[in-house]
Amino acid sequence: MRFLSGVALCASALLTSCVVQPAPTLLSNQAAQGETAAAALVEEKGADSAFPITVTHERGEVTFDKPATRVVIFSEEFIELAIALDIAPVGVGLWRNAPTRETFTSLPYLDEPIPGEPRYLDGEQPNLEAILTLQPDLILQHDYEGGNGDELYASFSQIAPTLAYSGGKVGAWKQAIRGLGQATGRSEQAEQVIARYDARVAELQQAMEPVVAMAPEVTVLLSWVDGAGVFDERFSIGGLMYMLGFRLTTPLGEAMDPSGYVDISAETVAEISADTVMVLRFDSDQQHPIDPLLNTLDIPVLHTEIYPGMGYTGPYTELI
């Protein structure tokens, strides 16, 4: 048991660095090589392409006659992309701050401020008139599967050129940051961000090898006051764990939802068979339905807290 506790502590520290900590400011040799490769790629292709430029996204193509400067972002996750490209959005649509309607000026898990002073908008029922008053020349839409994406895209497109990308699919953020970079004349910065990310993942893959060898199978859960869910490698957080060498297992087996995430009953937790359980837990003083069952598992359980009332969702995304 002491040995397993040691493995749990080691994995916890490393998993936390993967999920919620920013990459170091000073790049390692491997990261620096990745950035150099990106710069060479940009030089080979030329500087940011002259406008007009046509940007491809998940719902088609949009042509920009000049770099977009007034950007509205409808997604907490995609705020990360604006920070990475030093873009000050004029508006941000929020979904996950519903409990308190609090806004925020930084993303704590990145330790970075949001550039500018964006107007915060209701993501559940967007006020199109409020968006129109911001005079955007680009709307970046997080295209959620199974939601009202079609309706939103049709409405947004009437206001400004709109780029729609999935935020949950593995690697989708790379498409989104490339599109955002093209539309705003920041393609070089976008490629450098991707290169640094790839180099960081390579470093973490190497660092995680001893942990993966000892505990290769991981089940990743989401827990909140009213329920729970499970991820596999098809959803971004699960995909990151998979890239680091872990095998993602779920108690649902072949019945797992193709999206890579599905709600589960608390009783399903008792059926988990893995070396480690990682729980993304919405922080709360109240007991969650799965808490008693997690306590009965004879395997290490690691917790990463997600704080309610704040419109950020770092543990859901791949950025590290």
Side-chain angles (χ1 to χ4, degrees):
M1 197 63 203
R2 185 177 301 170
F3 171 76
L4 288 177
S5 297
V7 172
L9 288 173
C10 178
S12 178
L14 287 168
L15 290 174
T16 300
S17 74
C18 299
V19 175
V20 299
Q21 296 297 324
T25 302
L26 297 178
L27 296 177
S28 65
N29 289 336
Q30 191 170 16
Q33 291 171 2
E35 187 167 278
T36 301
L41 178 63
V42 171
E43 183 176 350
E44 178 183 340
K45 293 184 176 180
D48 285 309
S49 301
F51 285 78
I53 186 171
T54 298
V55 180
T56 301
H57 62 106
E58 293 188 9
R59 290 183 176 269
E61 295 181 340
V62 177
T63 298
F64 294 84
D65 294 327
K66 58 182 180 181
T69 59
R70 298 185 62 80
V71 182
V72 170
I73 297 175
F74 262 80
S75 165
E76 286 92 346
E77 287 89 345
F78 285 171
I79 295 173
E80 297 178 31
L81 309 185
I83 291 176
L85 298 182
D86 196 26
I87 293 171
V90 296
V92 174
L94 304 178
W95 279 269
R96 298 185 179 90
N97 67 338
T100 63
R101 289 298 176 191
E102 293 180 14
T103 56
F104 53 99
T105 58
S106 66
L107 296 185
Y109 63 92
L110 289 181
D111 194 27
E112 289 284 349
I114 300 170
E117 297 180 356
R119 177 174 178 178
Y120 292 93
L121 306 162
D122 187 345
E124 291 287 347
Q125 296 178 327
N127 185 326
L128 301 180
E129 291 184 2
I131 301 172
L132 188 59
T133 62
L134 296 175
Q135 299 181 315
D137 51 15
L138 167 61
I139 297 176
L140 184 64
Q141 176 188 347
H142 186 161
D143 211 359
Y144 290 97
E145 292 184 8
N148 59 340
D150 292 343
E151 180 182 342
L152 284 179
Y153 181 73
S155 299
F156 291 161
S157 297
Q158 295 297 314
I159 298 173
T162 300
L163 300 177
Y165 299 96
S166 169
K169 295 178 182 177
V170 174
W173 73 268
K174 291 184 179 181
Q175 294 176 293
I177 199 171
R178 282 192 169 109
L180 182 60
Q182 289 176 311
T184 58
R186 291 172 168 83
S187 289
E188 180 177 352
Q189 287 177 255
E191 293 301 331
Q192 290 173 350
V193 169
I194 292 171
R196 285 196 297 268
Y197 172 85
D198 289 342
R200 179 69 171 141
V201 168
E203 289 177 350
L204 288 170
Q205 286 173 334
Q206 184 174 2
M208 294 297 284
E209 284 180 358
V211 178
V212 173
M214 288 185 288
E217 293 190 348
V218 176
T219 295
V220 182
L221 301 176
L222 179 65
S223 176
W224 66 96
V225 172
D226 297 319
V230 63
F231 301 93
D232 70 14
E233 69 277 3
R234 289 169 290 188
F235 198 93
S236 56
I237 177 62
L240 176 57
M241 301 295 293
Y242 181 79
M243 282 190 286
L244 295 178
F246 292 99
R247 293 197 302 271
L248 274 291
T249 65
T250 79
L252 302 180
E254 297 297 325
M256 183 66 189
D257 190 87
S259 69
Y261 172 83
V262 66
D263 292 342
I264 59 173
S265 65
E267 293 73 22
T268 306
V269 172
E271 301 173 17
I272 290 176
S273 175
D275 299 309
T276 310
V277 177
M278 177 178 173
V279 183
L280 308 180
R281 190 180 195 278
F282 280 100
D283 187 32
S284 171
D285 293 334
Q286 302 178 53
Q287 179 171 276
H288 292 195
I290 67 172
D291 288 345
L293 288 166
L294 287 173
N295 292 334
T296 67
L297 295 178
D298 192 25
I299 54 179
V301 178
L302 316 175
H303 288 87
T304 294
E305 301 295 344
I306 307 172
Y307 299 97
M310 294 297 289
Y312 61 84
T313 55
Y316 288 110
T317 65
E318 290 177 75
L319 292 183
I320 54 175

